[in-house]
mmCIF file of all heavy atoms in Angstrom:
data_model
loop_
_atom_site.group_PDB
_atom_site.id
_atom_site.type_symbol
_atom_site.label_atom_id
_atom_site.label_comp_id
_atom_site.label_asym_id
_atom_site.label_seq_id
_atom_site.Cartn_x
_atom_site.Cartn_y
_atom_site.Cartn_z
ATOM 1 N N MET U 1438 3.726 5.155 32.069
ATOM 2 C CA MET U 1438 5.066 5.839 32.028
ATOM 3 C C MET U 1438 5.303 6.390 33.426
ATOM 4 O O MET U 1438 5.921 7.422 33.666
ATOM 5 C CB MET U 1438 4.874 7.002 30.990
ATOM 6 C CG MET U 1438 6.069 7.898 30.748
ATOM 7 S SD MET U 1438 7.409 6.966 30.055
ATOM 8 C CE MET U 1438 6.819 6.318 28.507
ATOM 9 N N ASP U 1439 4.736 5.882 34.448
ATOM 10 C CA ASP U 1439 4.865 6.390 35.780
ATOM 11 C C ASP U 1439 6.273 6.462 36.234
ATOM 12 O O ASP U 1439 7.071 5.525 36.052
ATOM 13 C CB ASP U 1439 4.022 5.476 36.760
ATOM 14 C CG ASP U 1439 3.869 6.147 38.155
ATOM 15 O OD1 ASP U 1439 4.737 6.555 38.760
ATOM 16 O OD2 ASP U 1439 2.584 6.264 38.531
ATOM 17 N N HIS U 1457 4.884 -13.189 38.991
ATOM 18 C CA HIS U 1457 6.175 -13.892 39.229
ATOM 19 C C HIS U 1457 7.367 -13.334 38.310
ATOM 20 O O HIS U 1457 8.402 -12.937 38.884
ATOM 21 C CB HIS U 1457 6.015 -15.357 38.882
ATOM 22 C CG HIS U 1457 5.390 -16.123 39.892
ATOM 23 N ND1 HIS U 1457 5.039 -17.550 39.848
ATOM 24 C CD2 HIS U 1457 4.816 -15.749 41.048
ATOM 25 C CE1 HIS U 1457 4.402 -17.924 40.806
ATOM 26 N NE2 HIS U 1457 4.178 -16.923 41.615
ATOM 27 N N ASP U 1480 17.959 2.621 48.503
ATOM 28 C CA ASP U 1480 18.903 2.622 47.412
ATOM 29 C C ASP U 1480 18.227 3.119 46.094
ATOM 30 O O ASP U 1480 18.963 3.252 45.122
ATOM 31 C CB ASP U 1480 19.400 1.139 47.165
ATOM 32 C CG ASP U 1480 20.324 0.741 48.292
ATOM 33 O OD1 ASP U 1480 21.196 1.495 48.836
ATOM 34 O OD2 ASP U 1480 20.074 -0.399 48.789
ATOM 35 N N LEU U 1485 17.855 5.969 39.086
ATOM 36 C CA LEU U 1485 17.549 4.575 38.960
ATOM 37 C C LEU U 1485 16.178 4.312 38.425
ATOM 38 O O LEU U 1485 15.861 3.541 37.564
ATOM 39 C CB LEU U 1485 17.697 3.867 40.232
ATOM 40 C CG LEU U 1485 19.107 3.493 40.630
ATOM 41 C CD1 LEU U 1485 19.095 2.613 41.950
ATOM 42 C CD2 LEU U 1485 19.733 2.613 39.526
ATOM 43 N N GLY U 1491 13.859 3.029 31.177
ATOM 44 C CA GLY U 1491 14.543 2.622 29.980
ATOM 45 C C GLY U 1491 14.562 1.267 29.706
ATOM 46 O O GLY U 1491 14.356 0.707 28.667
ATOM 47 N N ARG U 1585 -16.473 17.673 29.923
ATOM 48 C CA ARG U 1585 -15.866 17.061 31.147
ATOM 49 C C ARG U 1585 -14.932 15.929 30.803
ATOM 50 O O ARG U 1585 -14.008 15.650 31.627
ATOM 51 C CB ARG U 1585 -17.021 16.404 32.004
ATOM 52 C CG ARG U 1585 -17.945 17.484 32.649
ATOM 53 C CD ARG U 1585 -19.179 16.951 33.247
ATOM 54 N NE ARG U 1585 -20.065 16.314 32.258
ATOM 55 C CZ ARG U 1585 -21.250 15.945 32.405
ATOM 56 N NH1 ARG U 1585 -21.845 16.062 33.639
ATOM 57 N NH2 ARG U 1585 -21.893 15.479 31.381
ATOM 58 N N GLU U 1593 -12.602 29.270 26.367
ATOM 59 C CA GLU U 1593 -13.994 29.783 26.407
ATOM 60 C C GLU U 1593 -14.676 29.862 24.970
ATOM 61 O O GLU U 1593 -15.912 29.468 24.900
ATOM 62 C CB GLU U 1593 -13.994 31.162 27.021
ATOM 63 C CG GLU U 1593 -13.605 31.218 28.528
ATOM 64 C CD GLU U 1593 -14.521 30.520 29.419
ATOM 65 O OE1 GLU U 1593 -15.745 30.391 29.023
ATOM 66 O OE2 GLU U 1593 -14.167 29.983 30.441
ATOM 67 N N PHE U 1601 -5.279 28.963 20.036
ATOM 68 C CA PHE U 1601 -4.508 27.859 20.500
ATOM 69 C C PHE U 1601 -3.765 27.146 19.295
ATOM 70 O O PHE U 1601 -2.554 26.732 19.519
ATOM 71 C CB PHE U 1601 -5.361 26.899 21.254
ATOM 72 C CG PHE U 1601 -4.747 25.606 21.568
ATOM 73 C CD1 PHE U 1601 -4.084 25.435 22.789
ATOM 74 C CD2 PHE U 1601 -4.988 24.490 20.791
ATOM 75 C CE1 PHE U 1601 -3.391 24.248 23.027
ATOM 76 C CE2 PHE U 1601 -4.422 23.182 21.095
ATOM 77 C CZ PHE U 1601 -3.668 23.094 22.259
ATOM 78 N N GLU U 1651 -19.461 22.980 10.431
ATOM 79 C CA GLU U 1651 -18.106 23.242 10.489
ATOM 80 C C GLU U 1651 -17.856 24.439 11.475
ATOM 81 O O GLU U 1651 -18.573 25.342 11.527
ATOM 82 C CB GLU U 1651 -17.562 23.725 9.119
ATOM 83 C CG GLU U 1651 -16.056 23.880 9.064
ATOM 84 C CD GLU U 1651 -15.573 24.365 7.710
ATOM 85 O OE1 GLU U 1651 -16.271 24.117 6.738
ATOM 86 O OE2 GLU U 1651 -14.413 24.874 7.567
ATOM 87 N N LEU U 1655 -12.312 28.114 13.591
ATOM 88 C CA LEU U 1655 -11.184 27.337 13.769
ATOM 89 C C LEU U 1655 -10.511 26.784 12.599
ATOM 90 O O LEU U 1655 -9.319 26.884 12.362
ATOM 91 C CB LEU U 1655 -11.594 26.113 14.564
ATOM 92 C CG LEU U 1655 -10.499 24.901 14.899
ATOM 93 C CD1 LEU U 1655 -9.371 25.483 15.605
ATOM 94 C CD2 LEU U 1655 -11.174 23.797 15.557
ATOM 95 N N SER U 1671 10.813 28.395 6.609
ATOM 96 C CA SER U 1671 12.061 29.144 6.109
ATOM 97 C C SER U 1671 12.241 30.331 7.080
ATOM 98 O O SER U 1671 13.394 30.640 7.279
ATOM 99 C CB SER U 1671 11.669 29.546 4.694
ATOM 100 O OG SER U 1671 12.658 30.380 4.135
#
Side-chain angles (χ1 to χ4, degrees):
M1438 187 60 61
D1439 196 304
H1457 286 179
D1480 294 312
L1485 277 184
R1585 290 169 297 195
E1593 295 294 334
F1601 170 82
E1651 182 179 350
L1655 174 61
S1671 179

